[in-house]
Amino acid sequence: MKLTSKGRYAVMALVDLARFDNINPVSLRDISLRQGISLDYLEQIFSKLKKNHIVKSIRGNQGGYVLSKNPNDIKLTNIFHAVDEKVKTVQCKKDSKKGCNGRATKCITHNLWDELENHINSFFEKKSLEDLIQNKKENRING
Amino acid sequence: MKLTSKGRYAVMALVDLARFDNINPVSLRDISLRQGISLDYLEQIFSKLKKNHIVKSIRGNQGGYVLSKNPNDIKLTNIFHAVDEKVKTVQCKKDSKKGCNGRATKCITHNLWDELENHINSFFEKKSLEDLIQNKKENRING
DNA sequence: TCTAAACTTGACCATTTTGGTCAGGTATGT
DNA sequence: ACATACCTGACCAAAATGGTCAAGTTTAGA
Ligand code: FES
Ligand code: FES
């Protein structure tokens, strides 16, 4: 079970973006340099974030991206959903009665994996971008 | 983030095994047929389970595998650890002060991923094989 | 108006991981 | 002796990952 870089980068980039308080658009180039993420890869990620209305783009010189919502309204769930980072504990479809590999029934551990999936998703539903900035501020005060 | 088949199969197979109450050894062939898992693949998995003292093997005719501990003492953590199914939310080493991709410091979201990892692992530490058999029995009574 | 900065799109690709298969063994109960 | 079942290790195809590369389009500002 591992978290892919795409999901991790998406959150990192948005936290970086959120720190600038939406006053000026932030260029991907800046995020790329600060966070050490390939610019080309960031472009792929932000294209998806934009399609999912998490960020807005401002084209042209001095352009860049801004958050399109309040950081409190952007949950990790939304971000992960936008970049196709899904939690998958099973291979069989939820709505189907069939099991994995096309077997006739669900397997004996099926409930367990459902529980696990819910357990993980609940973490993503609770955390918002705001929480991550808060932590940042706390860290700055404490450190 | 997905759970690999290896981890899923390991748990499935052990639940199957645990249902037979350790009286007679259970052959991988039987588990393979009942659970729909390739025999050759099961052998790889059980080799690791054996090395980690989760099961014992009995060779020869009428041989097979038995649990080497009480189902209550076998947590999902132990099983996953045995088959190298790890939870990895980051790429950087925990003990190192360096960040991912060999960067000098940890990234701004590092704490978050640590939290996530702990959140997931806590699920695996709580659940034992016994819990899964219990559920099975309950299901049989209720259904 | 021209140009550089920055967004946009989509094809492409090397490496790694996954989820196995295959071909041989070896041990042991009957 | 022979069938059953464990054991070992090599091998492999397909998918996912984590990008790169090329060729644009849009717009601010000189
Ligand atoms: S997880 Fe799909 S059938 Fe059990
Ligand atoms: S996760 Fe490795 S540096 Fe942040």
Side-chain angles (χ1 to χ4, degrees), chain A residues 77-137:
Chain A
T77 299
N78 306 132
I79 301 173
F80 281 173
H81 183 260
V83 299
D84 303 310
E85 171 87 47
K86 308 168 206 169
V87 177
K88 284 198 68 165
T89 56
V90 299
Q91 301 210 312
C92 47
K93 306 276 181 193
K94 226 166 205 174
D95 45 359
S96 161
K97 285 192 177 175
K98 287 189 180 173
C100 293
N101 322 334
R103 301 199 96 211
T105 56
K106 300 287 185 187
C107 72
I108 50 179
T109 49
H110 195 85
N111 286 346
L112 176 71
W113 310 127
D114 264 357
E115 266 186 74
L116 173 58
E117 202 165 304
N118 291 337
H119 184 254
I120 298 176
N121 278 326
S122 76
F123 184 91
F124 296 143
E125 278 155 21
K126 274 176 208 152
K127 288 276 177 190
S128 73
L129 216 49
E130 181 70 27
D131 296 330
L132 302 178
I133 312 172
Q134 293 293 341
N135 281 338
K136 186 74 196 165
K137 284 177 188 162

Side-chain angles (χ1 to χ4, degrees), chain B residues 4-6 9 38 40-41 43-44 59-61:
Chain B
T4 65
S5 291
K6 181 148 47 178
Y9 287 169
S38 140
D40 286 316
Y41 202 27
E43 280 171 352
Q44 283 182 45
R59 303 187 68 152
N61 198 345

